[in-house]
Amino acid sequence: MPVPGDGSEDATSTAPAPQDQDQDRDPVRYAAGTAEAATPTPTPVTTPNDPPPRTDTQLDTMAAPGPAEEPASGYAAPVDPWAEAEAAANLTNNHVPHPMAPAPAPEPPTALIEGGPAHPLTAAEDAEPEHPSYKKGFWILGGVAATATVALAVTATVLLWPGFPALDYHALDQVRGLTPVAPITSGWADAEVIGDRAYFAGTVETGEAAVTAYNIGSGREVWKNIEAGPAKTWKQMIALPDAVALISDPDYTTSLARLVVLDGTTGVKRWDYSLGSSDTVHFGAGMVLVDDHEHSVLHGLELFSGDEKWQLANPDGSASSTLLGVTTPDDLTGPAGTQGRPFAPEVSDDDQVVQIAADRSARVIDIKNGTAGESRRDVAYPSDKTVAHNGRLFVEESSTDRLLAYDLAGFGTSGEPAVVYTAPKDADVSDLTPCGDNRICIVETIGYAHDKSQVVAFDLETHKEAWRKPAPDVETLVPVGDAVLASTDETNTLFDATGTPQWSDFPGTAARLDAGNVLRFSGTLTPSVGDQFLDGVHPGDKAAQIGPLRDVRGSSCAWNTSVVACVRAEDFVVERFAG
């Protein structure tokens, strides 16, 4: 990953900021996501007195990774298999959503300067270098193993974590503190990281979302403004390769919410759309899908302009339907939130969704042109546990307790689904999660004995149970390549591809960096300002102590494989932990 630079002049100065030259950027690619879950409980201070020494992980030990030195975390319905739990809120008082005409080419965004007039704010001159984004690399093993123990450790790591060596972890190093365009309140705030771009948002007293874009590669602030305008309450921010979208809660006086899309390069508002209180939104393949529950219509809007390119009526004419993004194995290998939402998914070929209607029918829809395949009946209810991954649709039938796998190729005309698993009597199946190219993982609980819950992995090629391990009180499964991270409210365990725990009951919060590295926080991530102690773990190596992340709103933080970006009480911060 790129190493951030030394920063640039503050974009709020009277001199015009340089221009951001994203000349060879990729076409817009995005998969749906939602904001990180949070609880109102303040994060306890867990910062050591002194920062830890710089340390890099090496394949020179068989010791199992230990816990950190000090113990310790929308509006749209989730459409990826690991979407954030709080995103599934079903809102009431539906009203007719109506699209607002895309705005004409607007003037440059205006910075709000306290005590003075507004003035134009242009993009910063920070041509973004070409950098690979979370791609699989190659192991390069040099030198001679000193002992047989070292050789065995290296062999085990290579077999279980191919292509994802340990990151160059080191003590936290603050790259840049960023001042918002206007003072932010203690209300909603968020940060998103995608590739070499970080976006920050906070709510100002007048209700506007103050958004800042920062180029991690060049170390420069790109733009900042309040172009998104006001809302009673902002709900989430969604980062795209060449845009950033913000969604508000419904206004209680109108029952309508706002979807706003800003240009990623300039910050100019591209378009604005009114959403009904229960509408859901999905991003992918340069399009925005809005599931209009009031009128039982699926709208396909072009991401750049907001123009409607197509619409489809729900198969049964009902408002209740579920959209599932069809993910690929690469989507499991990049940075993700604590609930598994990919921060930078590989979606160049993620151009399909599966729609499940209230009449239990399902169909595959091409996102780009709205072409719908033949509907298949008796597949699932919208409330059933489902996930679409690597060419298959997985359904946990609530009526039969069977886990079924449908082939999405020729979905409407293909044969009977494969029966992956039949749950025992009185068993509850939860957290249906892909955990490898050809594996699916679940949490199985008999009755209400959550203290005896188990994580079970099924191999779709051998049609057998691959492994089964105890995971008391587990609530969330997050894939880490072929491994799976099992988390409770307060602890987490990483099971590798064989079901072997790489660590157990770590008292804090953990999140995927790539398919072979995990970032661990010492406590729960909440909106309250507090300290977090971080470490990085590459299975087979000792945990690398990264150090204290001070005075941050933990639930706002986002990361890639080299930096973590967070909102603090009054400003934004980027800190480097690797590279």
Side-chain angles (χ1 to χ4, degrees), residues 131 229 272 282 370 456:
H131 295 286
D272 196 321
H282 175 93
V456 189

PDB file of all heavy atoms in Angstrom, residues 131 229 272 282 370 456:
ATOM      1  N   HIS A 131      -1.723   2.469  -7.529  1.00  0.00           N
ATOM      2  CA  HIS A 131      -1.399   1.538  -6.450  1.00  0.00           C
ATOM      3  C   HIS A 131      -2.336   0.349  -6.539  1.00  0.00           C
ATOM      4  O   HIS A 131      -3.530   0.518  -6.768  1.00  0.00           O
ATOM      5  CB  HIS A 131      -1.583   2.194  -5.077  1.00  0.00           C
ATOM      6  CG  HIS A 131      -0.643   3.325  -4.827  1.00  0.00           C
ATOM      7  ND1 HIS A 131       0.687   3.152  -4.559  1.00  0.00           N
ATOM      8  CD2 HIS A 131      -0.847   4.673  -4.823  1.00  0.00           C
ATOM      9  CE1 HIS A 131       1.265   4.331  -4.384  1.00  0.00           C
ATOM     10  NE2 HIS A 131       0.353   5.261  -4.535  1.00  0.00           N
ATOM     11  N   GLY A 229     -25.724  19.562   2.038  1.00  0.00           N
ATOM     12  CA  GLY A 229     -26.878  20.282   2.569  1.00  0.00           C
ATOM     13  C   GLY A 229     -27.352  19.714   3.896  1.00  0.00           C
ATOM     14  O   GLY A 229     -26.741  18.823   4.481  1.00  0.00           O
ATOM     15  N   ASP A 272     -29.360  14.632  -6.161  1.00  0.00           N
ATOM     16  CA  ASP A 272     -30.066  14.509  -4.891  1.00  0.00           C
ATOM     17  C   ASP A 272     -31.358  13.752  -5.165  1.00  0.00           C
ATOM     18  O   ASP A 272     -32.011  13.991  -6.189  1.00  0.00           O
ATOM     19  CB  ASP A 272     -30.356  15.919  -4.362  1.00  0.00           C
ATOM     20  CG  ASP A 272     -30.738  15.940  -2.886  1.00  0.00           C
ATOM     21  OD1 ASP A 272     -31.463  15.037  -2.455  1.00  0.00           O
ATOM     22  OD2 ASP A 272     -30.321  16.880  -2.197  1.00  0.00           O
ATOM     23  N   HIS A 282     -29.092   0.086  -3.109  1.00  0.00           N
ATOM     24  CA  HIS A 282     -27.990  -0.819  -3.428  1.00  0.00           C
ATOM     25  C   HIS A 282     -27.116  -0.158  -4.486  1.00  0.00           C
ATOM     26  O   HIS A 282     -27.630   0.395  -5.462  1.00  0.00           O
ATOM     27  CB  HIS A 282     -28.524  -2.152  -3.960  1.00  0.00           C
ATOM     28  CG  HIS A 282     -27.469  -3.103  -4.422  1.00  0.00           C
ATOM     29  ND1 HIS A 282     -26.938  -4.068  -3.589  1.00  0.00           N
ATOM     30  CD2 HIS A 282     -26.851  -3.240  -5.614  1.00  0.00           C
ATOM     31  CE1 HIS A 282     -26.021  -4.748  -4.264  1.00  0.00           C
ATOM     32  NE2 HIS A 282     -25.953  -4.270  -5.490  1.00  0.00           N
ATOM     33  N   GLY A 370     -31.078  -3.648 -16.236  1.00  0.00           N
ATOM     34  CA  GLY A 370     -32.364  -3.994 -15.655  1.00  0.00           C
ATOM     35  C   GLY A 370     -32.998  -5.247 -16.219  1.00  0.00           C
ATOM     36  O   GLY A 370     -34.171  -5.535 -15.946  1.00  0.00           O
ATOM     37  N   VAL A 456     -20.058 -23.919  12.256  1.00  0.00           N
ATOM     38  CA  VAL A 456     -19.951 -25.100  11.403  1.00  0.00           C
ATOM     39  C   VAL A 456     -19.614 -24.647   9.988  1.00  0.00           C
ATOM     40  O   VAL A 456     -20.232 -23.723   9.452  1.00  0.00           O
ATOM     41  CB  VAL A 456     -21.269 -25.905  11.385  1.00  0.00           C
ATOM     42  CG1 VAL A 456     -21.058 -27.242  10.681  1.00  0.00           C
ATOM     43  CG2 VAL A 456     -21.809 -26.114  12.789  1.00  0.00           C
TER      44      VAL A 456
END
